[in-house]
Amino acid sequence: MKGVRASRATTMRKLTSNVPSDAASATRLSSAGAVARSIGAKCLIIAIGAATGIISARALQPAGRGELAAMILWPVFLASALTFGIPSALTFQLKRNPEKHSQLMGAALLLALLAGGLAALVGTVLMQSWLAQYSPKTVLFARIFLLSTPLTSLSLVARAAFESRGDFAASNKILVWTPALTLLVLLALSASHAMTPYSAAAAYAPVVVIPLLWMRRRLWRMFEPSLESFRSSVRLLFSYGIRSYGIDLCGTMALYVDQALVVRVLQPKMMGIYVVALSLSRMLGLAFHASVVTVLFPRTVSESPNAVRELAGRAARLSTLVTALAGLGVVTLGPQLLALLYGSEYRGASAVLRVLIMEVVLSGAALVLSQAFMALERPGVVTALQIAGLLLTVPLMLFLVPRFGILGAGIALLLSTTLRLIFVLVSFPLFLKMRVPQFLPSWRDLAFIVDSVFKQGILSPKKQMLATGEGD
């Protein structure tokens, strides 16, 4: 049977090598269209996130905004930190073993539920000592909201499953619905003059339930999750997941470790100012780099090494260029933007905002390039390199934050991210035995954008549906 499968695979490669360029063009259209739609969804999330941030920051002032951040940080942080690589492993194994989709999906959901429960338990135990400078009421509400941690873990697995099937629309819906529902609740609280840090926190944590109900129906229709061959499925998931877990963990730490440490060291007012600057800078990475990664990893799993290198390099160049240009505009308008959107009390965040913008540009580039190692089944390499960067972040934060406050937190993140990007670049010749991808954008990249957007009709909904089969 192995010989028959190998023969069939060889035949298919020969056939596809002679397929006209229209097929390649359609594939490129599908990928670029998926990125475009993902960016559109991320931009919508950014707009919703900006609205929720503005409403809460203006209503609660810096101290209240800091208390809110201390309560709502933990479910997402802990669920993302304790994934054990299951979402990435599910994406990889569903692409490699599509005939086992039911068993893999069932095992992944159960593992995610257990991991989320463990994360909630860890948070409950550590919360009192970690939020020592906050009121007992704040600590109590933070513990209550940890009950949503398993739901967050399930949503991470569900998005990975949808993306493995190319159903980026479903993945984006999960991302959009939660902040949209949060915004509606915040608007109601603001209109009724009932917004406090605690009522606002209640608008963030429980709203994940409604998207999960929709997600369950769609998942069962697509995958029919089953616990048959559970041990075999778990072995498949962990064989890849444990090696990629370091990437998930370091990515989570890069996003949240600064907040976790700042909330431990600083008073609520400074925490509120830092969170506002951080959320404004993170919008750029969410719009561009995160959108590219969503599509890049599932689409490159079965490609040749050279194709993976070229795709990852081009994606990194283009997303970094766009992010840098957008970041330049934010830095230029920093103080005015902060005062206009959030209030004059937040002008003090302009200095750390400039540092955080630079950090977002570099960290996004490292994230996109690391997808090449994921697709070529070398996640352990990036795990080791990311851990090295993380080991630098924590001592820098502990050293700089007490001395320089929130600016020290930004500098610590920037130094660590720079080292992580250098590690990823050097790893291409060391571990993949290939040249470092071109990092600076070229005219060919700009021509690719023009060709994808205008000639291939990325902006045409009808052509998008024909290319991706959404119109069936």
Short mmCIF file of all heavy atoms in Angstrom, two decimals, residues 29-43 172 287 291-292 295 452-453 457-460 464:
data_model
loop_
_atom_site.label_atom_id
_atom_site.label_comp_id
_atom_site.label_asym_id
_atom_site.label_seq_id
_atom_site.Cartn_x
_atom_site.Cartn_y
_atom_site.Cartn_z
N LEU A 29 -4.47 33.57 -5.67
CA LEU A 29 -5.65 34.39 -5.39
C LEU A 29 -6.32 33.96 -4.10
O LEU A 29 -6.72 34.79 -3.28
CB LEU A 29 -6.63 34.26 -6.56
CG LEU A 29 -8.02 34.89 -6.38
CD1 LEU A 29 -7.90 36.37 -6.12
CD2 LEU A 29 -8.89 34.61 -7.58
N SER A 30 -6.44 32.64 -3.94
CA SER A 30 -7.08 32.13 -2.73
C SER A 30 -6.30 32.54 -1.49
O SER A 30 -6.88 32.98 -0.50
CB SER A 30 -7.20 30.61 -2.81
OG SER A 30 -7.77 30.10 -1.65
N SER A 31 -4.97 32.39 -1.52
CA SER A 31 -4.14 32.75 -0.36
C SER A 31 -4.19 34.24 -0.08
O SER A 31 -4.39 34.68 1.06
CB SER A 31 -2.69 32.31 -0.59
OG SER A 31 -2.61 30.91 -0.74
N ALA A 32 -3.98 35.04 -1.15
CA ALA A 32 -3.99 36.49 -0.96
C ALA A 32 -5.37 36.97 -0.55
O ALA A 32 -5.52 37.87 0.27
CB ALA A 32 -3.55 37.18 -2.25
N GLY A 33 -6.40 36.34 -1.11
CA GLY A 33 -7.76 36.71 -0.72
C GLY A 33 -8.04 36.38 0.73
O GLY A 33 -8.70 37.14 1.44
N ALA A 34 -7.53 35.22 1.19
CA ALA A 34 -7.71 34.85 2.59
C ALA A 34 -7.02 35.85 3.50
O ALA A 34 -7.55 36.23 4.55
CB ALA A 34 -7.17 33.43 2.84
N VAL A 35 -5.81 36.27 3.11
CA VAL A 35 -5.09 37.28 3.90
C VAL A 35 -5.88 38.58 3.92
O VAL A 35 -6.04 39.23 4.96
CB VAL A 35 -3.68 37.51 3.34
CG1 VAL A 35 -3.03 38.70 4.04
CG2 VAL A 35 -2.82 36.28 3.51
N ALA A 36 -6.40 38.97 2.73
CA ALA A 36 -7.15 40.23 2.66
C ALA A 36 -8.39 40.19 3.55
O ALA A 36 -8.69 41.14 4.26
CB ALA A 36 -7.55 40.51 1.20
N ARG A 37 -9.10 39.06 3.51
CA ARG A 37 -10.30 38.95 4.34
C ARG A 37 -9.93 38.89 5.82
O ARG A 37 -10.64 39.42 6.68
CB ARG A 37 -11.10 37.72 3.94
CG ARG A 37 -11.77 37.85 2.59
CD ARG A 37 -12.75 36.72 2.34
NE ARG A 37 -12.10 35.43 2.29
CZ ARG A 37 -11.51 34.93 1.21
NH1 ARG A 37 -11.46 35.65 0.09
NH2 ARG A 37 -10.95 33.74 1.22
N SER A 38 -8.80 38.22 6.13
CA SER A 38 -8.35 38.16 7.51
C SER A 38 -7.97 39.55 8.02
O SER A 38 -8.28 39.92 9.14
CB SER A 38 -7.16 37.20 7.63
OG SER A 38 -6.76 37.06 8.97
N ILE A 39 -7.29 40.32 7.16
CA ILE A 39 -6.93 41.70 7.54
C ILE A 39 -8.20 42.52 7.75
O ILE A 39 -8.29 43.32 8.69
CB ILE A 39 -6.04 42.34 6.47
CG1 ILE A 39 -4.64 41.69 6.49
CG2 ILE A 39 -5.92 43.84 6.67
CD1 ILE A 39 -3.72 42.20 5.42
N GLY A 40 -9.21 42.31 6.87
CA GLY A 40 -10.46 43.02 7.05
C GLY A 40 -11.11 42.71 8.39
O GLY A 40 -11.61 43.60 9.08
N ALA A 41 -11.10 41.41 8.75
CA ALA A 41 -11.67 41.01 10.05
C ALA A 41 -10.87 41.61 11.19
O ALA A 41 -11.44 42.09 12.19
CB ALA A 41 -11.70 39.49 10.17
N LYS A 42 -9.53 41.59 11.07
CA LYS A 42 -8.70 42.16 12.12
C LYS A 42 -8.92 43.66 12.25
O LYS A 42 -8.91 44.20 13.36
CB LYS A 42 -7.22 41.87 11.83
CG LYS A 42 -6.82 40.40 11.81
CD LYS A 42 -7.05 39.73 13.13
CE LYS A 42 -6.42 38.35 13.18
NZ LYS A 42 -6.93 37.43 12.16
N CYS A 43 -9.11 44.33 11.12
CA CYS A 43 -9.38 45.77 11.18
C CYS A 43 -10.70 46.04 11.90
O CYS A 43 -10.82 47.01 12.67
CB CYS A 43 -9.41 46.36 9.77
SG CYS A 43 -7.79 46.47 8.98
N ASN A 172 -12.50 33.96 11.89
CA ASN A 172 -12.63 35.40 12.10
C ASN A 172 -13.90 35.75 12.86
O ASN A 172 -13.92 36.71 13.63
CB ASN A 172 -12.59 36.13 10.76
CG ASN A 172 -11.22 36.10 10.13
OD1 ASN A 172 -10.20 36.05 10.82
ND2 ASN A 172 -11.17 36.11 8.81
N ALA A 287 -3.55 43.81 13.14
CA ALA A 287 -4.09 44.08 11.81
C ALA A 287 -3.30 43.40 10.71
O ALA A 287 -3.88 42.88 9.75
CB ALA A 287 -4.11 45.60 11.56
N SER A 291 -2.75 38.68 10.89
CA SER A 291 -3.58 38.27 9.76
C SER A 291 -2.80 37.37 8.81
O SER A 291 -3.32 36.37 8.31
CB SER A 291 -4.09 39.49 9.01
OG SER A 291 -4.84 40.33 9.86
N VAL A 292 -1.55 37.71 8.56
CA VAL A 292 -0.72 36.93 7.66
C VAL A 292 -0.44 35.55 8.25
O VAL A 292 -0.53 34.52 7.56
CB VAL A 292 0.60 37.67 7.36
CG1 VAL A 292 1.59 36.76 6.64
CG2 VAL A 292 0.33 38.90 6.51
N VAL A 295 -3.11 32.77 7.92
CA VAL A 295 -3.21 32.08 6.63
C VAL A 295 -1.93 31.34 6.28
O VAL A 295 -1.97 30.25 5.69
CB VAL A 295 -3.56 33.11 5.53
CG1 VAL A 295 -3.65 32.42 4.16
CG2 VAL A 295 -4.86 33.82 5.85
N SER A 452 -2.06 41.24 -7.06
CA SER A 452 -3.02 40.50 -6.24
C SER A 452 -4.30 41.29 -6.02
O SER A 452 -5.40 40.76 -6.10
CB SER A 452 -2.40 40.13 -4.89
OG SER A 452 -1.31 39.27 -5.07
N VAL A 453 -4.14 42.59 -5.77
CA VAL A 453 -5.30 43.41 -5.41
C VAL A 453 -6.12 43.82 -6.63
O VAL A 453 -7.34 43.69 -6.65
CB VAL A 453 -4.86 44.66 -4.62
CG1 VAL A 453 -6.04 45.59 -4.37
CG2 VAL A 453 -4.23 44.24 -3.30
N GLY A 457 -8.25 40.63 -8.64
CA GLY A 457 -9.59 40.90 -8.14
C GLY A 457 -9.81 40.55 -6.69
O GLY A 457 -10.87 40.07 -6.32
N ILE A 458 -8.78 40.78 -5.84
CA ILE A 458 -8.94 40.47 -4.42
C ILE A 458 -10.09 41.28 -3.82
O ILE A 458 -10.77 40.83 -2.91
CB ILE A 458 -7.63 40.79 -3.66
CG1 ILE A 458 -6.52 39.86 -4.11
CG2 ILE A 458 -7.82 40.67 -2.17
CD1 ILE A 458 -6.86 38.40 -3.94
N LEU A 459 -10.33 42.48 -4.38
CA LEU A 459 -11.37 43.31 -3.81
C LEU A 459 -12.75 42.98 -4.37
O LEU A 459 -13.73 43.60 -4.01
CB LEU A 459 -11.06 44.79 -4.09
CG LEU A 459 -9.75 45.29 -3.48
CD1 LEU A 459 -9.56 46.77 -3.78
CD2 LEU A 459 -9.73 45.06 -1.99
N SER A 460 -12.83 42.01 -5.27
CA SER A 460 -14.11 41.63 -5.85
C SER A 460 -14.73 40.49 -5.08
O SER A 460 -14.21 39.38 -5.10
CB SER A 460 -13.92 41.21 -7.32
OG SER A 460 -15.09 40.60 -7.80
N GLN A 464 -13.77 36.41 -5.13
CA GLN A 464 -13.34 35.72 -3.92
C GLN A 464 -14.15 34.45 -3.72
O GLN A 464 -13.59 33.39 -3.41
CB GLN A 464 -13.54 36.64 -2.70
CG GLN A 464 -12.56 37.79 -2.62
CD GLN A 464 -12.83 38.66 -1.43
OE1 GLN A 464 -13.48 38.24 -0.47
NE2 GLN A 464 -12.36 39.89 -1.46
#
